[in-house]
Amino acid sequence: MTGQSSGVADHRSSMVHRGFLYHDEEEVVSVCVPFLRAGLEADDAVVVVAAKPNVLALRDALGQDASSVQFEDALYWYQHPVRTIAAYDAYVKAEAPRRARVIAEPVWQGRTPLEVVEWARYESIVNAAFSNSGAQAICCYDRRALHPEILGYARQTHPEIIDGEGPRRSAEYTDPGPFSATCDRRPLPRAPRLAETFSINPADLDSTRAFAAERAARHGLAGDALRDMVSAVAEVATTAVRHGSAPAELRMWTDNGDLVCEMSGPGHWYPDALWGFTPPSGSEPAFGLWGVRMLCDVVQMQTDADGTTIRLRTRI
């Protein structure tokens, strides 16, 4: 590893977000232990959320200093992108005015292609959600195990990269708004011909809830998952009729073990690609879509000249 280059910004209140493309645990120790010890010396709130082999290696290398570091299992922490943003937001706020210093290792194994895109988007959104927090984060990517596409996402979503020649500015870095818009630009497959369809009536949204609840239960959703999906459908349907125009339609079907609820109609219901990804500041529409993203496994949104389409997916 070479020292920090002169091209890396001297951050104060802005976030430092680095992608670390490592080759083995020895390299993890050599980069992360000095970073963690510097945080302890600065009285930062220091946390490691990583794969177990890296947690064990860092604990051992830190020695007595390990007792001052919070260690978390990445498999538990990284289950849902928006809920993970909410968890880090709560952590940063709880530790204030101390700054957060984080070793993070998102979980990529076992993800569907849709989930990979959403986790890449998560890594990008972090730059907007915590831009003025003063937090410092090194996000670890195992070059031995991860697909080149995921390593490419690391370079696009982290302003600075460590990979044997850094830290240095990433030439491929893309700001969160354009990156998120690119994620939403991928065409959505057409709803299947046998999808069940319901016309959303602005004067009777309870009927939309009832339709969604009955069909979701028939497809196998129950308990909290059923209530969450119905709540998400109701929120999007309300937004569709409030900020769009009639007619709006709800379609429901199953796909590879997911229940899919799609709402589409004229008008542009949400203002930009980051809407609903960052913790709400109090405006109702942002809180509504933030809540929808919290309740569903994947939310896909597309707008074009014909209007807006929101597709909600929940694992059955």
Side-chain angles (χ1 to χ4, degrees), residues 115-134:
E115 289 170 337
V116 167
V117 171
E118 291 307 299
W119 279 107
R121 194 203 305 258
Y122 154 85
E123 284 279 58
S124 180
I125 296 297
V126 161
N127 297 293
F130 303 102
S131 60
N132 297 316
S133 67

Side-chain angles (χ1 to χ4, degrees), residues 240-279:
V241 300
R242 182 180 297 166
H243 300 285
S245 58
E249 284 195 334
L250 165 64
R251 301 177 186 87
M252 298 180 65
W253 69 93
T254 57
D255 177 48
N256 292 325
D258 290 347
L259 175 66
V260 183
C261 299
E262 177 186 276
M263 281 155 283
S264 61
H268 293 171
W269 313 340
Y270 298 105
D272 60 58
L274 297 184
W275 203 252
F277 277 109
T278 55

Side-chain angles (χ1 to χ4, degrees), residues 85-205:
I85 290 176
Y88 276 124
D89 184 59
Y91 179 80
V92 167
K93 289 175 179 175
E95 295 294 340
R98 300 168 73 207
R99 296 183 304 178
R101 184 175 290 241
V102 183
I103 297 295
E105 189 165 14
V107 176
W108 299 96
Q109 290 83 358
R111 304 295 190 192
T112 67
L114 278 178
E115 289 170 337
V116 167
V117 171
E118 291 307 299
W119 279 107
R121 194 203 305 258
Y122 154 85
E123 284 279 58
S124 180
I125 296 297
V126 161
N127 297 293
F130 303 102
S131 60
N132 297 316
S133 67
Q136 296 195 39
I138 292 178
C139 298
C140 301
Y141 287 72
D142 187 344
R143 297 201 309 261
R144 300 165 298 182
L146 296 179
H147 191 278
E149 179 186 37
I150 295 172
L151 300 179
Y153 283 142
R155 296 184 177 94
Q156 291 177 269
T157 58
H158 294 81
E160 299 175 16
I161 288 292
I162 305 169
D163 63 359
E165 302 177 9
R168 68 187 191 284
R169 292 191 183 279
S170 173
E172 299 170 48
Y173 176 70
T174 305
D175 285 336
F179 183 85
S180 188
T182 299
C183 294
D184 290 327
R185 220 170 274 140
R186 303 181 181 206
L188 293 174
R190 294 179 62 88
R193 184 175 57 84
L194 297 179
E196 298 177 278
T197 304
F198 185 81
S199 182
I200 299 172
N201 181 357
D204 183 18
L205 288 173

